[in-house]
Structure formats: C-alpha cells, structure tokens
Amino acid sequence: MSKWIYDFGDGKAEGTAAMRDLLGGKGANLAEMSSLGLPVPLGFTITTEVCTYFTENGETYPEDLKAGVTDYLGLIEKALGRTFGGAEKPLLVSVRSGSRASMPGMMDTVLNLGLNDTTVEGLVRDSGDERFAYDSYRRFIQMYGDVVLGVDHHNFEDLLEDHKADQGVDLDTDLTADHLKALVEEYLAKVEEMYGKPFPQDPTDQLWGAIGAVFGSWMNDRAQTYRRLHAIPSDWGTAVNVQAMVFGNMGEDCATGVCFTRNPSDGENAFYGEFLVNAQGEDVVAGIRTPQPLTEAGKLDTAPDLPSMEMALPALYADLCDVREKLEHHYTDMQDMEFTVERSKLWMLQTRTGKRTTKAALKIATDMVGEGLIDKNEAIRRIDAVQLDQLLHPTLDTEAERDLLGHGLPASPGAATGRIVFNAKDAEDWSARDEKVILVRQETSPEDIGGMHVSEAILTTRGGMTSHAAVVARGMGIPCVSGAGDLRVDTDARVLVALGEELSEGDVITVDGTTGQIIRGAMPMIQPELSGDFALLMEWVDEVRTMGVRANAETPKDAEMALSFGAEGIGLSRTEHMFFDPERIIHMREMILATDEDQRRRALDSLLPYQRKDFVDLFTIMGGLPITIRLLDPPLNEFLPHTDEDMAEVAKAAGTSMEAIRTRLAELDESNPMLGHRGCRLGITYPEIYEMQVRAIFEAAADVQKTGTPVKPEIMIPLVSVKAEFEILKALVDRVARDVEAETGEDIDYMTGTMIELPRAALRAGEIAEGAEFFSFGTNDLTQTTYGFSRDDIGHFLDTYHAQGLLVEDPFVTIDRDGVGELVRIGAERGRAVRADLKLGICGEHGGDPASVAFCQEIGLDYVSCSPYRVPIARLAAAQAALGKDADKGSEDK
Amino acid sequence: MSKWIYDFGDGKAEGTAAMRDLLGGKGANLAEMSSLGLPVPLGFTITTEVCTYFTENGETYPEDLKAGVTDYLGLIEKALGRTFGGAEKPLLVSVRSGSRASMPGMMDTVLNLGLNDTTVEGLVRDSGDERFAYDSYRRFIQMYGDVVLGVDHHNFEDLLEDHKADQGVDLDTDLTADHLKALVEEYLAKVEEMYGKPFPQDPTDQLWGAIGAVFGSWMNDRAQTYRRLHAIPSDWGTAVNVQAMVFGNMGEDCATGVCFTRNPSDGENAFYGEFLVNAQGEDVVAGIRTPQPLTEAGKLDTAPDLPSMEMALPALYADLCDVREKLEHHYTDMQDMEFTVERSKLWMLQTRTGKRTTKAALKIATDMVGEGLIDKNEAIRRIDAVQLDQLLHPTLDTEAERDLLGHGLPASPGAATGRIVFNAKDAEDWSARDEKVILVRQETSPEDIGGMHVSEAILTTRGGMTSHAAVVARGMGIPCVSGAGDLRVDTDARVLVALGEELSEGDVITVDGTTGQIIRGAMPMIQPELSGDFALLMEWVDEVRTMGVRANAETPKDAEMALSFGAEGIGLSRTEHMFFDPERIIHMREMILATDEDQRRRALDSLLPYQRKDFVDLFTIMGGLPITIRLLDPPLNEFLPHTDEDMAEVAKAAGTSMEAIRTRLAELDESNPMLGHRGCRLGITYPEIYEMQVRAIFEAAADVQKTGTPVKPEIMIPLVSVKAEFEILKALVDRVARDVEAETGEDIDYMTGTMIELPRAALRAGEIAEGAEFFSFGTNDLTQTTYGFSRDDIGHFLDTYHAQGLLVEDPFVTIDRDGVGELVRIGAERGRAVRADLKLGICGEHGGDPASVAFCQEIGLDYVSCSPYRVPIARLAAAQAALGKDADKGSEDK
C-alpha cells in the first residue's frame, strides 16, 4: 500500500527537501524547514502520486486516502487542541497546491477553510474579534466560491463595493463586524444563486472540495499553457498541502510578508522584502495594497514613505534575519520566503529557491563562490543560459533625452520599445502580425501568460516588486515596470492616461525595467557592458567547456561582434547574403538572366571582385580563426525582381526585356522551392557559379596570407543528398584551389566539407565522409525535411499544435532529439566511423539554444555555431553541458 | 600475376559460359560453344579486368598484356598456318567488344583487321578473288577509320556514292576489283586528310588501336546512356574478343545470318532467322539489304519473294538445325545466334540468350515447362516483370476502320498513336512537352537510343526483323514497324511520304507493331486478353508469391479494373479525388471559404451523402476485400479556383465576394505546400472534415454490411510525424465509429493505421505503432523529404543528374534502397518490434516497380499496392522476389 500523506511542523517532518518529486516544491520545503527547527504551522502533504491517480481515474482518489486525511487531521487537532468543524476553538486550515516545478500563480489556494455559520462564532469567541472572524469568513466564501464552486470573484467584489458605497466608506477596513456579517449573508445568497446549491457548511465537504479543486486545476488551461511554455511534463502532477491557519490579519500585532535572502533584482547580498500589517498573505502577492519595505535600506528602492519592518517590528525582524541566515546556508542558494506574524509570533509558510534576474543570478553565483558557499562549477550551473540573453541586448542610452510619461517600480530589468496593447489577446494578435508590443494592464493575472510571453515589456499600474507581473516578467526575461500609480488604464476603452494625456492602442512607448521609467516614443539603445560578474563567469565557463563556439556571420560588423562575444571562428558564412547589395545584385541578375554559359561567365566575372573583397575582410578580421564558407544555397529566383516596377528597372539595366524576365521567372518558379533547384544542385548545373565563388575565396585567402595574416577557409557544399554531388564539387574546389595557388604562389591550408541537412545525407554520412573533411549539421533544413514542416508555413497550424500539446517545444527552436536528433546522431556516428578526425559542428538556429547545445555535447560534436548575440549563451550552455547539468534542474530554476 | 587472356575455338576453350563477368557474354559463350564441339573460329578474349585497368590507369594496359596477346596470336597463326601481317596467307582477325550484360549495337566492332597494302595482295592470292580482297580492304579502312581513327563513315560513303555515280552503276556489287582498288586509294587519302596521319599499315598497330578503341568505347556517351537507362554499373567493363576472320562474302558459296531457336516475336517453337548470301555479318544487322528468310515457313512473315536457306542451302541449313538443337538444350533457353558460311562451311560466331517480346517470353517459358526443359519457378524467373506492361495495354480495335498509309515488318508488337518526329532530338524535345511521339527514321542507330526511349513507337523504312530498330524496340517494349519500304522519309525536310502524300512533323499516326500496319490518325484501342500463357503463368505466380498485391483505386471503374487484374484489395483510396466532381467541388469550396466552424459543418453535411455513396460503391465492388481509405491529404487551396473567371463563378455560387475568395487564397497560400498545412494537420485543425469522412465511411460500411456483403475498411491517417497526431485522430475515428455503430446497430470490423511518409514517422515508428494497427509506406513523399527533392521541381536538374551519373535510377520510379529504403526498413523493424502483427504495406508508385517490390519482399512487407494496370507486374515481381530472383539475372535478360 502506497504512502499518500506526509506530515510536517513542530520541528519534525516525514518528508525532506529531496522528496520534491513526490511532495512538490512547497511541501518538500515545508518539511525541510520543520526539520531545521524553524516555526512551521502543523500540516501535511498529499503527494503528487495522488494527483496522477486522480487524473487517470476519472477524478477519484485511492480508497485509503480519506481515512488517511482524517487521521492526519486528527493529529493536528490533537496537537493544537482544536477541532475541525468544532463550535469552540475550531481548527481552520489552508489548502494549497505545490508542484515539483515552481509555477507561480498558476495553481489555486484556499485559506480559512473550516469556517461555516457555526465555527465562525467559535472563531469570534476564540479570537475575541468579531470583525476579524467575519472578515475571515467573507474571504473564505469568496475564495472558495471562486476557486472551488466556479462563482467568479467579481460577483463578490461587486457586492463588497456596493456595500462600501452604501456605508459611505472607502476602505475594506472601514467596514464593521456588522457590515461584514451582512456581507457574509449576501455572499452566501450569491453563491446559492450562481452555484445553484447552498454554500457547503460541512468542513469535511469543504476540505474535499478544495483538494479536488487543486488536483483538478493541474489540468486547467492556464496550467497547461504554463507547462507548455516551460516544457514541464503533464504527468508530474501537483501535491496538496493542508496546513493549520495562522493569521496575519488578526490585528495590528499581526503581519504577513514575502522576502528574499538577497536582492532578486541586482543580486546584492542584502535582505530584501515587503510586508503588510494586519493582512493575509495573498494581499501582498496580489498587489492590491502597496506593501511596506522589509528593511530601511530597501525603503529607497520601493516605498520610501512607509515604515520598514526593521523599524516597526525589530524583534520579529531579528527572528526573520535568523531564518534568512539559516535557510541560505542550508540551501546554499538565494531563498524566496513567505512568513506570517500572528500575535507577535513569526511563522514560516514557504521557502523556495528565489527567482532572480540574470544580472542578480550572475552576482549571487559569483559572490557565493567568493563566500565559499559554492564552487565555480556550481556557479556555472546556476545561470540559466536562456536568460543570459537579457544581459546581451541593448539598454537605454543614458545620454538620450527621455520624454517621461511616468514612473513605476523597476520590476524586471532591461528596456524595450513597442506599441501599447491592453489585453493578452491583443498582444498575441499584434505580435502575430510581427508588431512589437508592450502589454499595459492594471495588474496581470495568470490568464495573461500567453500575451505576456509575446510582449517586449510589461507595464502595470498596480502591484509591487513581487506582484504577478513582476515575478513572471523576471522569469521570462522581459522588462517590467509595475505599480506605476500615476498612470491610469482604461482597459475597455483601450486608453492609457499619463500626464493628463491619452495614449491609444498602437502608440509607441519605451519601458525601462531597470529604472522604472515609462517614456514616450522609441529610444536609442546602447550595448550592454560585458564585464564584471559576467566576464568572470565567462572565464570560468571557458575553462570548463569542451565544445568550440563559433558564430554565423557574413559582414565585417557581424564578424567583429562575434569576436567581441568570444566566438572562436565563423561556423557559417552565407555567401548569398553578400549578393543583395544594390551594386552587386544587378550582376547577379544578369547572371541569372543569361541565356548561355558565356554570358553567365561574364556576369560572374563582374561579381568576382566584390566577393573577393568580402572574403579579404572576413579573413583579415578573423585573423587565422577558421571560417566556414557556404557556397551559394538559395534558389536563383530569390535574386530576381518580382514586382513590375523592379522588373522594368532590371530589364533596362540588364539590357533585356520585361518579357525575358517574366519568362525566366516562370522557368525558375517552383512548387516547393525549399526542395527545389538550390544548394549544390546549382553547383552541379551551373558549375561556373561555384567556380567564381571558390576563386574569390582562394584569391582573397592568398592576398591576406601574403600580408602575414594566417587564413583558414573551410569550403562548405550545401544540400548534398548523394555522395557524388559532393565529390564532383570537391573536385571543382580542388581544381580552382590548385589554379589559384599556381597563379599566386601561395599555398592555402583549406578544408572541404558539407552541410548535413537532408535525411539522406545523414543516413549516407559514411560514404560522404570518404571525401568530406568536415560536416556541419544544418538542422533548420533537417528539421523541415524530417518533420515535413515548411518553416515558412508552419504558422498555419503551429498554434493548434501547441494548444493541443502536439509539440511541446518549437522544433525550430529546440532540436527534436527523438527524430531530427537521431538523424544528427546517425550522421555523426557514421561519418566518424569512416573518418575518425571528421570535424563536426552545427550551424542551424539550434546552435544557440541551450537544450540543443546540450544535445550537441552528448553526441560529441566539436563545435556549435550561432548568431553573434547568442555566442555567450552557447558558451555557457556548452560549459553546463560539459558539467552534465541536469535538464530537470534547469526547469526548476525557471 | 593475373590471367588477362582466355582462348577458344577448335573444340576446346580456357573459359566457360559461367565466366561471363570476366569474359563478357560474347567471349563466355564462344568458349562454351567451342567446348560443345561447335565450329567456332579460333580466337581469344581479353578480360573485363583489363578494361577496368585501362579505365583506371589513364588508358594504359597491364605490362604483361602485350606479350600475352602476341603469344595467343602466335597460337592462332600456327594452327591456321597463317601469319598476322604476312605477305602470304595473311591472318585477318575481327576485334569485337563483349560486356557482361548484352548491350546491342552499343559497342564497336572492327572486321578484316590485318589488311594493309601488302597483305591485301596476299589475300588476293590466297582467296583467288581480287575483288573480294579489295572490297575487304575497303570495308576495313572504313570501319577502322570510323571507329578507331574518328573519321566519320559518311566520308567513306560519299566517296563510294561518287564512285558509283562516276561508273554509272547502282549497286556496290557492280563495282569491279579495279574500281575498288581506286576506291581504297581514295579512302586512304581521305583518312590521311581527316586524321592528319597516314592509315596505320602495321597490323600490330592496327590491333592495339582497335583494342584501345573497344576499351575506350566503354566510356563513350552512348554506352553511358545505355547503362544509365538499364542500370548497368560502369565498373563492369567490357571484354575484347580477337578472332580469326571467316568470310561470308567470298562468293556465292558464302553467306552470313542471324537466327533464333524460337520465334522471338510470338514465341512459337519454330526456327527463325534471316541470312544474306555473299555478305559480311554487319550487312544483316545494319538493315541495309533486306535479308532472306531462314525457313520456308518464315517466308510468309518476312520476305516472301526471296529463297529461304532451307531451300537454297539445305545441307548447311541441316547443320544449323543441329546447332540449334544442341544450343537450346544446353542453355535451356531460346538462343540468338550469328553464323557465317565460308565456302560452304558453317561457322558459329555468337550465341546468346535471345531477346524476345513479352508475349514470346510467356509462350517460350510456359512451353519449356511443358517440354520439361525448365520448371515453373524458372519460368517465372524468365519473364521480365517490367516488360509485362506490354501485354497489359490496349491494342488496336480490329473492328475499327483503318486508314492505311502503308505496311512494314511487325518488328515489335503492340500499337500506339502519336505525333511524327524525324530525329531523336526532336523526339526528346516533343516528349519533354508531354507530347506522345512516334519516331520515324530510314533506319535507327545507337545514337538514337535516347529518342527511342521516349517514343510511343518506332517506324523505319529500311531494315529487317533483326535490324537495330527492331531489336532495341523489342527490348524496350515499344511497338515497332521496320522496313516499311513503300514509305519514304526525308529527314532533313521532316517529311514522310506515304501513298504520294506528305505527312509533316506533328501529324498524328498510329503504328501497329503486331501487324506491321501504319495508319493515319488516332485509332480506338481494345483491352488485352489476359488468358492463355499469361493466365497460366499468373496461376504459377500466385502459388509462389508470399506478399499480397493490392491496387490504388478510388472510382468504381478503377476498382473493377483492379479486381480484373487480380488485386487482393485496395491499398490506397485517395478520398480527395472524390471531391473534384463539379457538383461536389462547390460544397468543398463552401467548406474552405467558411468563416466559422458552423458554416464549415453545413458545407460538410452537403458533402457527406456523396462521400457515403462513393464508399458504398467501393465496399460493394470489393466485396469483403480490405480497402485502405486515406483521409483528406492535399492542402485546401488545391480545391479553390485560381483564375478570375473561376473565382467569379465560385463567388456567385457560394454567395461570397471575389475579395473574400482572394483573401482566403492568400491565407492558404504556402511557400512549400508539400511541407505545409495538409494531411493529418488538416485533421487536427479542422477535425470536422475528418469527422465527416469517417462518418461517411462507417455509414457506408453499415449500409453494405446490412445487405450481407462483408466490409473491411482500414482508415488511414496521412502525414503523421508526431505520435500524438495519430492518437488524437484515432480517438476521433473510434468515437465516430462508436456513434455510427450505435445509430445503425451494425458492428464494423475496422482498423486504423497511418502512412509512414516522413522521415520522422519512420524513425518514431515504434511509438506510433503503439496505436496504429497498420502502416502503409508512402514512399513518394518519403522520397521527397529524404532527398529534399520536390517531385514537381526535380526536372530543373534531373537531366544533368542523369547525364553526370549522379542518379542511376529515378528515385521516384525505383526506390532508393540506401537512403529512403533504410528509413522504410527502420520503420518496419521498429513498428514490428512494438506490435508483432502490425500490417505493413507500400502504396507509393514504387509498389508497381519490380526492383522496389523485391526490396519490399526483403524487408518483410505484407503487401504492395500499385495502379491497377501494374497489378500483374507487381504479382509477378512479388513471385520473383519470393523466389529470390537474382538482380543481375534481370539485367542480363534485357
């Protein structure tokens, strides 16, 4: 018989932090805190296995569960001298979800459970505070009604607002016990009206209703959306934590708060948090009241006018500092904690690894190495390579004038410009039209996740640094300004009012999440500083990693950028990008429109000097680092004009007729250009094109080598599917190389290889490797052909596929290990079997994706190549892969 | 040290027929005939290994070869008492190629080698016939000049014609010895003029020149074309046969001929052949003189006015009959022999397995089983499955009136209609424009191979039943009428004159190769009779084969045709083909243009009855045989109108605007529709479409089952790349099936499976098989994605790829075993590993291609499915595969 329940509290626990999979993060850490002797209210955890049972068995429970819950509840009753449902000293509990991966705001919580018309009177007597008791009952009805019975919270809020208006008061706290009693009656009537049945008065019914709601919420749409976005498997399940209530809202000697052992925004080793006096926990997180700072130092950052806990409640603050010390040393990582003070006694309700900005993560990790808490390898593991991106993008130019619209809390760093949208749906719609958007809300909620994900930045007018918007934006690496109270949002009218002026949907603003500023219009951005903690970590990273990291680059600017980000060569230089310059494309078009080989050769002769110059620049900049140069790849009609105007211009310039251009366009038109006349197929049918390119490469190499700069060209033949294609074109390369060597007297050290980007090439890698000296896996095209997905067309069904969980990851972002990955593995193995020193790399978009980089390490590639901006990400990911960073660990940190 | 040379002749030989790979077909059979005691002139074979050496070593020979040739030549000199290059009794030799696979007319031959200004006088004295000697010298100079020295034969023919004109004679035979002497002088001068050097007088130089020309010709363009067309590897090489000359042109007691042990056209067990008195062998094959029949019975078929050999040379005819008897019993197959009579002595110059029409092949194979010469399995192996096609196509309706243009020899059976073209190049050009052409020539030559291959039929005005045109056409299975002497061709003017009337390029004629008739215009055709030998062989075939054979069919007509050809079910019913009917497509278009699901469902409701009717018909016709029904596969915009006219019509009918249609077209437009929104991706995004189709299938199944006819639907989900796609759609199928079963009370026995047509599906076949009950390999799309070849676009480079030998076979015709085949094998293995009884089939075009069928047998598929016409081919190929028919054997028979 399985053990379904684990208890905690009172300095001991059946579980430990290591039992996260079974108890969920919250339950495991409650158990761990108990064992550490920290003050944790008594409670128990129903395991994730029950959730799985529940999901798989038509929302039923294991048969022995009910008895178990009764038993464990009995133990709490006994320890506290309270009775669940008792008329005197009633036991009230919270019911909270807690899954293996932290999923902020995604799961449902019910507080004050156990209250009914009878027990509320017991609570009156027990607390001596009628107002508190009925406020608790009111909150419970609202929360339970909303979460368990499906009566939307607006129903209750409307009644509350009406009531306040009737009484002529502004604040909830102005309502008396009698008002609240009347409100409870109204709430109960509203539930019966909307739900069709009376509010359940039996606490046991309440409890099982709440447990079922938590388990049921695991499969709700927003949880599924979150899991899809974070690649969390559906079968992990959530645990349920049932815990005796402690009250932060029982009077002025009560409080509740959230704190971080270090600053989650910049990583400073300073205690950091927010609290509210006489409040329940959700009041802080929900961002409805602006909370007070934890410390005096913290006042500067957030709410300078409110007293800090350090000053207001010094003894309790000292207790909390002890907890901080103990937990950070125990977990050796920055912790995010929730606490409640009930009648001047501190209770810990949660601890977890704290989310942090990448900047903070870097500082915390490098500081902790300095403090001896962790080693360098652990520091490397701690940084989320995906989020490193945050540091690598431009921030606002501090010199530029800012047309300020307002100011809020610097909730998630980085800056972004975009068009205003007022709801998540609009954000997704605009974004689908390739518009950059900034989501502006009073406050965000889990329903907004999808829209937040596609936004450049988030701006809210309410909520603090730990509000939903702030937490989620930091997690996503999106800039966020929260609690910008001097701005006003009218969501229905789609209007943002700032400085008395209305901004409408589509208006452009800039949001600076590092300073909290909201600025009118677009702003100039500046490059990030890649020094300090970043540079230190990158030094450690380069000591650890075993794979090389190169960049994809064609222009001198890209090549220089790549070097500055630490690229060790160019892994993909797409020569066709060099032909789109206006003075070049005309020759390219002449070449394509040529009616015979002679004409074609003349046009190519005109292109040769340009192409040679390109390579002279690249060789010079890269100074001896290897450069993989891919010969012409796209179908020729990508270079031809397609509008009448352009065609007329080209006809004139190329001395031909519109008719001739149309004819050629029709000839070159293809049903499926991705599978058409491109890549090495062009090299086979028009060898003079490749000859020109190869000549340009070798002439450039000879020129540069003559100046004393070493050169290392790697000629890459694209789209090979048949061994003979490679062989014929390698012979061409060798012949031209010999010619140029003879002409210039320079011996060039070069390699010839191929892209493995078609399933057949991967399967036939053995025979291709007989001639090829290197393979570069072109996983973009390999993904297209392996799945039969056209990257340009996948939008027609990708959303549906994501929504139905058919694709967890976009296979164009993270390599599909099972399918595409198997072909890459086969290609690598068969190639190496024939040529042991075959150089293997990857040059698709996957080269800059950490999960894909880990895969590349696993199968033994020599290097990855990605866009210049992603080079540091790839370096870090390669180091983590070399350390064998656990993939699960990665998701937990999210 | 390798043995490079093998001798033969005089009743013994170093080689045997089994050494075909080393000695080539001709050399191996000359050795075998010698050993059988047949009269074979002395000679020796230089092996194919020398050819390989020659090709790989820059056209040089193994160092010990020269001495070997001298030694072997010395043995012949000694045996015959003649001297190579001797002034008296000179030894003359023929030099002929002979490769492992018979390649008619593709390789070069030199006769009378050894003649020069001195030896020709020796030949005069030796033969006592000055005219013969100088005619031989003249022939030798022409042949050697053409083949070895590259002086085109037209140069010599022009001189000959001029000479005849000067002398006022019509026939070569009217020229006297003196004329020929003068002509020899002119020939030698012409060679010196064109070749730049004198004609080689040293016989040893002549010999090595000829040997080099034969080996060199292995790599010439026409040989390469032939090999590409017949999938013969380039590394097989050719042997060279050097043999003492015997002369069929030394007088009226000399002759030369070609004969078949049975009739190669209809397979009758009757001796069959042609000969010419006082002629050299090439005179018969070249078709320049119309030859005499071998037998009296044969006179009726060919040349009724000329005396037969049976009558004219009864003793030699009797000798030849003995040879026939001996060879056919020895080889147990029909032989094609060449013989020469020199001064009343019979010499055998060649025997080989005779090419034959498919009709003849069937008769010969079934007769030989009856005669006890071979067994049934061998009979099955003997039929070329590719050529079976010949028997399965319509022939001319005998009732229809024929507007006869003329008559020739029935050289290759079958009838065809097409447009006249006058040279091979035009044939290829017209054919590339999808025109059906008939190639009309005076006589064909090896240069015409390419053009013959694309023609529907061949018509020549000269040449006999064994002329180049006749032999090649029979080999290709193309109808041919040869020697139609009452028609006249003016190739330059592109005119065919028949009955005094001119027909031009592009005019339509019909050619009946079975009767020899040439008919004006197109003709009605009738279905072939599939009884007699065919039916008998098919009976044996079905006893032997282990794979099932199904047909791809949608319409009742196709389904009935499939049954008549022996299909055991339908392997692919493409439901989209059913939507193109005018009264249906309007609903289809309404469905596509619908702006919401309701509208879409209404349009689908209108389609349902049509679709149900289709399936009622199919189930009824197939009466319990399995039918694999593929749900909608192509992208939706294939059903939309694309011209303004059509759009206007649809807009009116569908009650929408042109604008709406244009918008929808733009929405549905895809860059690469082959990789786009199609197949199961439609089923996922528009489940109501698949629901309608599945409902139609099950309602039809229930209707038919109620009448007592069993039904066996197999629902096939196309284009699966992810397991979940299949699972979601299988759930849909099961749900609709349960609904219909509940509504109708009929339990339908059905299966749900998928097409494996994407590389990822093949790789993930294991997990897909957890749900799928059958796989059908869709090798068309699998070939597209594995190679990255769009079938629609491959024409842009396929010719170049064939020309450069990059692709030996078109991978869309014969499965690419190495790449696509590996994925099919992986799919089959992984699928079966999970589900041992997984039903496996193939439904691409490959299902009707014998080489691909053999592959399917190898990897253990349960069935193949192909177009109805190809069902008998697939049945035969499956039987041959079950018997393990050797692939090489197949090519030899070509």
Side-chain angles (χ1 to χ4, degrees), chain B residues 77 125 144 209 305 381 456 483 525 543 572 658 766-767 865:
Chain B
E77 288 177 311
R125 285 186 291 276
Y144 195 93
D305 303 331
R381 285 195 195 90
E456 303 299 309
M525 305 271 172
E543 286 165 16
L572 177 63
M658 292 277 282
E767 59 183 25
S865 186

Side-chain angles (χ1 to χ4, degrees), chain A residues 507-520:
Chain A
D507 287 350
V508 173
I509 62 170
T510 297
V511 164
D512 185 352
T514 314
T515 63
Q517 291 178 329
I518 303 115
I519 302 156
R520 190 197 312 274

Side-chain angles (χ1 to χ4, degrees), chain A residues 77-319:
Chain A
E77 288 177 312
K78 199 172 157 199
L80 298 181
R82 296 182 169 275
T83 311
F84 190 57
E88 296 305 321
K89 290 179 84 58
L91 171 65
L92 304 186
V93 297
S94 64
V95 177
R96 295 176 197 255
S97 64
S99 71
R100 181 165 155 185
S102 161
M103 290 169 64
M106 303 303 294
M107 304 303 298
D108 300 302
T109 297
V110 177
L111 301 180
N112 306 333
L113 190 141
L115 282 175
N116 57 20
D117 295 347
T118 308
T119 57
V120 70
E121 287 300 325
L123 186 62
V124 171
R125 287 186 289 275
D126 187 29
S127 66
D129 184 343
E130 190 175 28
R131 194 196 166 284
F132 157 73
Y134 277 93
D135 188 47
S136 297
Y137 194 16
R138 169 190 77 79
R139 286 169 182 260
F140 170 56
I141 296 165
Q142 171 168 344
M143 209 178 269
Y144 195 92
D146 184 24
V147 169
V148 182
L149 306 181
V151 180
D152 195 273
H153 57 93
H154 291 300
N155 291 294
F156 304 106
E157 281 153 17
D158 289 352
L159 289 175
L160 177 64
E161 292 305 314
D162 290 351
H163 215 89
K164 287 196 290 191
D166 287 353
Q167 308 303 328
V169 300
D170 277 343
L171 299 174
D172 298 7
T173 45
D174 294 337
L175 293 172
T176 64
D178 285 343
H179 293 149
L180 291 166
K181 269 190 185 175
L183 201 54
V184 161
E185 292 306 316
E186 290 175 30
Y187 274 23
L188 290 173
K190 178 56 83 175
V191 167
E192 187 152 2
E193 175 196 339
M194 302 295 290
Y195 177 55
K197 280 191 279 187
F199 186 86
Q201 288 287 328
D202 180 345
T204 302
D205 290 349
Q206 291 173 359
L207 179 59
W208 285 103
I211 293 171
V214 171
F215 286 141
S217 76
W218 176 255
M219 296 304 288
N220 76 19
D221 287 346
R222 68 192 205 211
Q224 293 197 40
T225 299
Y226 188 93
R227 288 200 294 274
R228 268 201 314 278
L229 291 172
H230 294 82
I232 296 173
S234 278
D235 59 6
W236 280 7
T238 181
V240 172
N241 298 290
V242 178
Q243 189 173 23
M245 283 297 300
V246 289
F247 294 97
N249 57 342
M250 222 187 251
E252 294 303 312
D253 56 353
C254 300
T256 190
V258 173
C259 54
F260 294 85
T261 57
R262 303 191 185 207
N263 188 314
S265 189
D266 62 15
E268 280 301 320
N269 188 357
F271 203 14
Y272 180 89
E274 296 168 328
F275 80 110
L276 284 169
V277 170
N278 197 13
Q280 267 196 339
E282 77 274 20
D283 299 340
V284 183
V285 180
I288 292 164
R289 283 164 60 188
T290 299
Q292 296 165 242
L294 198 69
T295 63
E296 280 301 288
K299 280 176 76 164
L300 299 173
D301 291 337
T302 51
D305 304 332
L306 300 171
S308 71
M309 186 173 176
E310 190 176 359
M311 294 298 286
L313 305 166
L316 287 161
Y317 176 73
D319 290 350

Side-chain angles (χ1 to χ4, degrees), chain B residues 263-512:
Chain B
N263 187 316
S265 188
D266 62 14
E268 279 301 320
N269 187 358
F271 203 14
Y272 181 89
E274 296 168 329
F275 80 111
L276 283 170
V277 170
N278 197 13
Q280 268 196 341
E282 78 273 21
D283 300 338
V284 183
V285 179
I288 292 165
R289 282 162 61 189
T290 299
Q292 296 163 244
L294 198 70
T295 61
E296 280 301 288
K299 280 176 75 162
L300 299 173
D301 291 337
T302 52
D305 303 331
L306 300 171
S308 70
M309 185 174 178
E310 189 176 0
M311 294 299 285
L313 305 165
L316 287 161
Y317 176 74
D319 288 350
L320 197 58
C321 285
D322 286 349
V323 171
R324 172 197 177 205
E325 183 74 11
K326 205 174 251 181
L327 285 178
E328 196 175 88
H329 273 82
H330 181 70
Y331 285 103
T332 68
D333 201 355
M334 187 267 270
Q335 295 296 298
D336 163 3
M337 305 169 292
E338 289 177 21
F339 64 90
T340 284
V341 174
E342 185 185 270
R343 291 189 171 157
S344 299
K345 166 150 177 60
L346 176 69
W347 292 97
M348 297 308 297
L349 299 184
Q350 166 151 311
T351 190
R352 58 184 173 186
T353 300
K355 286 185 193 304
R356 63 204 79 181
T357 65
T358 305
K359 189 179 166 197
L362 278 171
K363 176 150 181 61
I364 292 170
T366 50
D367 280 358
M368 284 188 170
V369 171
E371 294 160 24
L373 275 177
I374 59 174
D375 65 13
K376 287 180 189 178
N377 289 351
E378 179 59 22
I380 290 169
R381 285 195 195 90
R382 288 272 172 92
I383 312 301
D384 185 338
V386 173
Q387 292 194 13
L388 200 62
D389 208 23
Q390 284 181 265
L391 288 193
L392 306 173
H393 284 285
T395 50
L396 289 189
D397 184 349
T398 49
E399 302 295 302
E401 199 152 296
R402 302 183 180 200
D403 184 359
L404 273 186
L405 289 170
H407 197 277
L409 300 177
S412 178
T417 294
R419 297 183 183 278
I420 300 176
V421 292
F422 291 94
N423 63 59
K425 171 84 175 52
D426 289 348
E428 293 186 85
D429 290 350
W430 282 70
S431 163
R433 299 197 302 270
D434 275 345
E435 294 283 358
K436 294 189 182 307
V437 297
I438 291 179
L439 179 62
V440 178
R441 303 282 287 162
Q442 269 195 328
E443 50 187 313
T444 61
S445 68
E447 282 86 357
D448 296 329
I449 287 276
M452 294 171 80
H453 205 72
V454 299
S455 298
E456 303 299 309
I458 315 288
L459 168 60
T460 67
T461 54
R462 289 165 81 172
M465 292 292 284
T466 52
S467 67
H468 180 267
V471 170
V472 172
R474 281 200 296 272
M476 289 177 174
I478 297 172
C480 176
V481 170
S482 64
D486 41 359
L487 275 64
R488 193 167 54 74
V489 172
D490 183 337
T491 303
D492 290 341
R494 290 188 167 77
V495 168
L496 171 66
V497 184
L499 305 173
E501 186 188 333
E502 291 192 351
L503 286 97
S504 308
E505 187 180 47
D507 288 350
V508 172
I509 62 170
T510 296
V511 164
D512 186 352

Side-chain angles (χ1 to χ4, degrees), chain A residues 657-674:
Chain A
S657 67
M658 293 277 283
E659 202 42 42
I661 295 180
R662 283 216 187 80
T663 305
R664 189 73 177 125
L665 266 175
E667 274 172 23
L668 292 175
D669 187 50
E670 295 186 302
S671 307
N672 296 289
M674 197 263 130

Side-chain angles (χ1 to χ4, degrees), chain A residues 667 670-675 681 724-725 758-760 785-790 793 796 801 806 816 822 830, chain B residues 667 671-675 681 724-725 758-760 785-790 793 796 801 806 816 822 830:
Chain A
E667 274 172 23
E670 295 186 302
S671 307
N672 296 289
M674 197 263 130
L675 307 177
R681 299 163 196 173
E725 291 172 323
L758 294 170
R760 196 175 192 280
T785 45
T786 303
Y787 270 101
F789 283 165
S790 163
D793 304 317
H796 286 109
Y801 269 51
L806 286 160
D816 157 46
E822 179 170 8
R830 294 186 182 177
Chain B
E667 273 172 23
S671 306
N672 296 289
M674 198 264 130
L675 307 176
R681 299 163 194 173
E725 291 172 324
L758 294 169
R760 195 174 194 282
T785 45
T786 303
Y787 270 100
F789 283 166
S790 163
D793 304 316
H796 287 108
Y801 269 51
L806 285 160
D816 157 45
E822 178 170 7
R830 294 186 182 176

